[in-house]
Amino acid sequence: MEDDNPLSRQSSRIRKIAPKLSAALLDPNTRLQVAQARLDALENDGVALDTAEADEDEDAFAGDEDLGFSQKKAPKGSKRKTRQAKALERLGNTKKAPRTFLEMLHETNLEALPAHVPSYLTAAVGPPNSGSRRHFCSVCGYLSTYTCPRCGARFCSSQCQIVHNDTRCQKFVA
Amino acid sequence: MERSVAAAEAEAAATAAAAVGVEKIVVLDNGAGFCKAGFAGHQDPVAMVPNCLGRPRGSKRWLVADQVQECDDIQGLAVRRPMDRGYLISPELEKEVWDRIFKVLLNVKPADCALLLVEPLFNLPSIQKITDELVFEDLGFHSYYVADAPSLAHIYEANRRPESLLARSDCSLIVDSGFSFTHAVPVFQKFTMNYAVKRLNLGGKALTNYLKELVSYRAWNMMDETYLMEDVKEKLCFCSTDVPFDLNVSRKRGNSNYIKCQYVLPDGVKYKRGFVKDPGAAAAVHLKKKNVEIEVNGKHIDEDNVRTRVDTDRASVGTTETRRNVIVVDEQELTLTNERFMVPEMLFHPADLGMEEAGLAECIVRAVSACHPDLQALFYSSVVLTGGSMLFPWCKEKLELELRPLIPDEFDVHVTLTDSPITACWRGGSLLAASPDFGDCLVSKRDYEEQGSLRCRRRFFH
């Protein structure tokens, strides 16, 4: 969704999706993927990287200073930075995200182990026995009876449907 | 009295260390959420600090571990963690946290110390290697031992209740629900039965993020305020033993809705930290069914009562403000209703979220079923809950309710919550490290240099 016009006066949080994508949302596989993406987001550590980048941009705006120059400038501030503090800052601000656990898991290739060897993969609890599940309204959280025909989300009343259509249905809310 | 306990602890620590031939034995439970660190033989860890680096909004300096805890500016705190999904991924960040813990908080020289490190189950070989490097090459410990959390929790629990069935049979089912995941682990004769371990990929972090997502959609945008939402979760969430009933209650208006409560968000001027607006009202949920009869008599009276109470609240706040001569800022409140119990509910029924995983009760049943049939009765009769995510009120009751229908009638089910879910594992480690045979388990730095990481690992039996 990078091709959005940055100058448009729309809220930055809501983006309409292309008609092709909305058709794709009817497909159960795509819905599954969307749900999975939402679940993966639960393991995120907030927005640390975004803010780090923003601050770096700020620096760039203040003038493209090389390292030596900025070092000279630093003591002007209230406190001189120790070497450790600098190392920490560099560490915290590295743009390159560390490898994720899933990447490392993939590299380890645990699938190659024989089935009887216990490993991270065999320890996963697996799908539930009963396929039945309760449905909760995606807007207010109470028990829901209706399903959105366009995106498959649940809602419980016409009020919640309106809210759902206005905010979530076929939109990506960041 | 207190002094004598401290003296006894110090003595125990000294004798344990002398038996191994080092100055001190450090026990470190390196959880993804919190690092618990202290000395062998002590009752409680010296340091319990977040295992992360944090940076307040607008600042350039990264705070480490305890500094994050003390930081007042928690709004929009950016956080970087060395652990991902419970496993170490960034030794550089971890080194910063450990440096801080050992040098400042514990004030020890690693070269004179033995270390007992708690590692997650099924740690990947590549991660074990970087951990070894970190311990021996970067920090330079004299020697170390790696243990896993459930067996330590078992040791602690057996030591705490020496008369119990758990201690006499030396067998228990540990449910360890931490920051990144939840494990159901049968422990037999102090060893984890690794083939029977079952893992649920849900922990405190996922729950906090889920709460954050719900609140951001329904009330205020809290997507940047993980730290704040963690506090909300810890103070206000509880497990519901009857979800449909509680859903109905949380939908009501006025005083009969004992679930609804407010959390005052920090404004950065007057309140640096958020807090529960009316702790009494928030705790009403523990009494259950409070004021249900009043609701039958007449609703509007209750609402009036509430309004007057809120007004008096406002008034009292106003007077303190004028006294202090501060600009009056209306506090921002976060109202929570069904989120309070629907968030922990996720642990028990992840399928409701669309997650293809069995709930906690089923997870326990599967773990026990994978063991020898003769042991199963023993496991069911000593289920022990530990880990920070088990601190939700009513969690034990809820699990008992859910577990009973899944288990054959002839088995007794007995669930206990350990007395200190967060530090139980550390305390077990402290006991183990203070035991006389501990010295034989250690791998010294010299062994590591001669034999390398892999050979040393063989000594840890996992």
Side-chain angles (χ1 to χ4, degrees):
Chain A
M1 303 312 296
E2 296 301 319
D3 51 356
D4 266 6
N5 181 8
L7 295 174
S8 70
R9 296 280 292 170
Q10 217 182 7
S11 160
S12 62
R13 295 180 63 213
I14 298 172
R15 285 163 187 164
K16 286 232 173 190
I17 55 169
K20 263 188 191 168
L21 260 175
S22 80
L25 262 183
L26 282 172
D27 174 39
N29 270 335
T30 328
R31 283 184 184 177
L32 214 66
Q33 275 175 18
V34 170
Q36 193 54 48
R38 185 174 163 229
L39 290 176
D40 284 340
L42 290 181
E43 284 298 321
N44 283 348
D45 275 324
V47 285
L49 292 177
D50 287 1
T51 49
E53 272 167 24
D55 278 11
E56 271 165 20
D57 291 348
E58 213 172 84
D59 274 16
F61 189 70
D64 285 355
E65 12 179 61
D66 56 346
L67 203 73
F69 185 48
S70 67
Q71 265 174 342
K72 249 187 248 161
K73 228 178 156 185
K76 263 190 190 171
S78 56
K79 231 181 193 176
R80 230 184 104 219
K81 277 180 187 163
T82 60
R83 190 182 295 166
Q84 197 209 0
K86 258 184 226 154
L88 260 179
E89 193 179 299
R90 216 175 307 129
L91 194 65
N93 289 342
T94 41
K95 257 191 185 159
K96 196 187 95 214
R99 294 195 303 164
T100 63
F101 172 69
L102 292 181
E103 282 167 25
M104 294 176 102
L105 185 68
H106 186 70
E107 274 168 27
T108 317
N109 196 18
L110 289 176
E111 290 91 343
L113 288 173
H116 63 86
V117 178
S119 71
Y120 181 82
L121 296 176
T122 58
V125 67
N129 273 340
S130 120
S132 67
R133 62 180 57 159
R134 298 170 296 177
H135 294 286
F136 296 100
C137 174
S138 65
V139 178
C140 66
Y142 296 101
L143 290 167
S144 69
T145 37
Y146 308 109
T147 309
C148 175
R150 282 186 292 183
C151 68
R154 310 285 304 198
F155 51 85
C156 65
S157 62
S158 61
Q159 284 155 330
C160 286
Q161 185 186 17
I162 293 167
V163 176
H164 167 73
N165 284 343
D166 284 351
T167 55
R168 272 205 174 151
C169 193
Q170 302 194 345
K171 298 177 183 77
F172 290 129
V173 178
Chain B
M1 168 80 194
E2 232 169 58
R3 183 154 230 184
S4 68
V5 171
E9 275 185 346
E11 199 179 311
T15 45
V20 180
V22 291
E23 218 161 80
K24 268 169 179 162
I25 303 177
V26 178
V27 180
L28 176 65
D29 179 1
N30 196 35
F34 273 81
C35 258
K36 282 77 78 179
F39 300 109
H42 284 203
Q43 170 80 17
D44 279 311
V46 177
M48 241 169 76
V49 294
N51 194 356
C52 66
L53 267 64
R55 189 182 60 174
R57 190 183 278 161
S59 158
K60 298 224 79 178
R61 199 167 138 251
W62 285 89
L63 306 172
V64 187
D66 63 314
Q67 296 167 325
V68 179
Q69 232 170 356
E70 284 156 16
C71 169
D72 257 348
D73 201 5
I74 57 165
Q75 281 178 297
L77 191 76
V79 172
R80 298 198 75 176
R81 296 185 186 277
M83 316 272 275
D84 176 30
R85 288 167 205 255
Y87 294 89
L88 181 70
I89 53 157
S90 167
E92 298 87 17
L93 293 178
E94 191 62 273
K95 184 171 181 291
E96 294 299 334
V97 176
W98 284 6
D99 266 345
R100 174 86 193 164
I101 289 174
F102 295 131
K103 288 189 182 144
V104 180
L105 300 174
L106 297 190
N107 194 15
V108 292
K109 282 201 197 81
D112 306 327
C113 292
L115 174 72
L116 190 153
L117 180 69
V118 181
E119 228 181 35
L121 290 162
F122 304 114
N123 209 352
L124 303 178
S126 55
I127 298 176
Q128 290 180 337
K129 195 162 166 274
I130 54 178
T131 316
D132 288 352
E133 281 170 9
L134 193 59
V135 168
F136 284 128
E137 289 171 22
D138 290 336
L139 291 163
F141 269 96
H142 173 269
S143 49
Y144 101 131
Y145 177 72
V146 171
D148 59 73
S151 58
L152 295 183
H154 171 82
I155 290 174
Y156 171 66
E157 197 61 14
N159 188 67
R160 187 169 74 94
R161 300 180 293 142
E163 293 306 310
S164 63
L165 182 61
L166 180 148
R168 281 182 287 137
S169 62
D170 210 359
C171 134
S172 68
L173 188 100
I174 305 287
V175 178
D176 184 0
S177 184
F179 187 69
S180 313
F181 40 41
T182 302
H183 278 109
V185 187
V187 179
F188 180 57
Q189 302 203 325
K190 298 186 181 62
F191 279 97
T192 300
M193 300 169 87
N194 58 5
Y195 57 87
V197 172
K198 291 289 168 231
R199 184 193 64 247
L200 179 62
N201 284 327
L202 272 177
K205 185 201 227 173
L207 295 185
T208 305
N209 281 341
Y210 181 50
L211 178 65
K212 195 171 80 177
E213 194 202 282
L214 288 180
V215 165
S216 301
Y217 182 58
R218 292 177 193 164
W220 307 103
N221 182 10
M222 286 283 157
M223 288 314 275
D224 298 353
E225 313 285 349
T226 312
Y227 201 81
L228 195 60
M229 292 320 288
E230 203 163 65
D231 188 53
V232 177
K233 180 191 78 174
E234 283 162 14
K235 289 196 177 129
L236 291 176
C237 283
F238 64 95
C239 290
S240 161
T241 44
D242 186 351
V243 174
F245 180 82
D246 282 343
L247 274 176
N248 270 334
V249 171
S250 64
R251 197 167 217 171
K252 286 177 182 155
R253 288 158 177 251
N255 221 0
S256 58
N257 184 349
Y258 56 79
I259 287 173
K260 188 176 185 173
C261 68
Q262 277 89 25
Y263 183 88
V264 178
L265 299 170
D267 53 11
V269 182
K270 201 169 83 180
Y271 308 122
K272 292 283 187 193
R273 304 260 158 166
F275 56 92
V276 181
K277 184 163 183 191
D278 186 354
V285 78
H286 302 297
L287 305 171
K288 284 237 154 183
K289 299 176 193 72
K290 176 200 152 206
N291 293 335
V292 172
E293 311 85 40
I294 305 171
E295 184 256 343
V296 184
N297 295 338
K299 218 178 255 175
H300 70 280
I301 297 170
D302 295 342
E303 280 169 15
D304 282 348
N305 283 344
V306 172
R307 206 166 296 138
T308 48
R309 206 178 65 210
V310 170
D311 285 344
T312 50
D313 276 4
R314 282 269 160 73
S316 66
V317 167
T319 50
T320 50
E321 267 168 1
T322 43
R323 206 185 305 138
R324 279 197 215 145
N325 225 353
V326 186
I327 313 151
V328 180
V329 189
D330 219 8
E331 66 253 41
Q332 276 196 322
E333 285 170 12
L334 189 64
T335 306
L336 294 165
T337 53
N338 60 23
E339 296 87 4
R340 285 185 72 189
F341 56 91
M342 290 314 284
V343 169
E345 183 69 14
M346 209 167 96
L347 267 182
F348 294 90
H349 297 280
D352 292 344
L353 246 190
M355 213 168 174
E356 278 306 309
E357 280 190 27
L360 187 56
E362 221 169 306
C363 185
I364 292 171
V365 172
R366 284 180 196 182
V368 174
S369 310
C371 299
H372 194 276
D374 291 350
L375 289 173
Q376 293 184 5
L378 283 172
F379 286 132
Y380 282 130
S381 57
S382 38
V383 178
V384 178
L385 309 181
T386 172
S389 297
M390 288 289 127
L391 279 170
F392 292 116
W394 304 91
C395 191
K396 190 188 99 171
E397 289 77 4
K398 166 104 179 153
L399 186 63
E400 271 172 346
L401 269 177
E402 300 237 324
L403 209 49
R404 189 65 261 187
L406 299 176
I407 295 172
D409 208 24
E410 64 263 30
F411 292 136
D412 271 342
V413 178
H414 189 68
V415 183
T416 44
L417 177 67
T418 176
D419 62 345
S420 56
I422 292 174
T423 49
C425 164
W426 185 91
R427 288 179 178 182
S430 165
L431 287 169
L432 175 67
S435 66
D437 306 331
F438 181 65
D440 301 337
C441 313
L442 289 165
V443 165
S444 71
K445 191 173 181 204
R446 198 192 290 153
D447 293 343
Y448 169 78
E449 278 159 359
E450 277 173 16
Q451 302 178 334
S453 168
L454 237 124
R455 294 282 290 279
C456 293
R457 283 283 165 171
R458 298 233 169 109
R459 293 184 66 166
F460 301 144
F461 300 110
H462 52 81

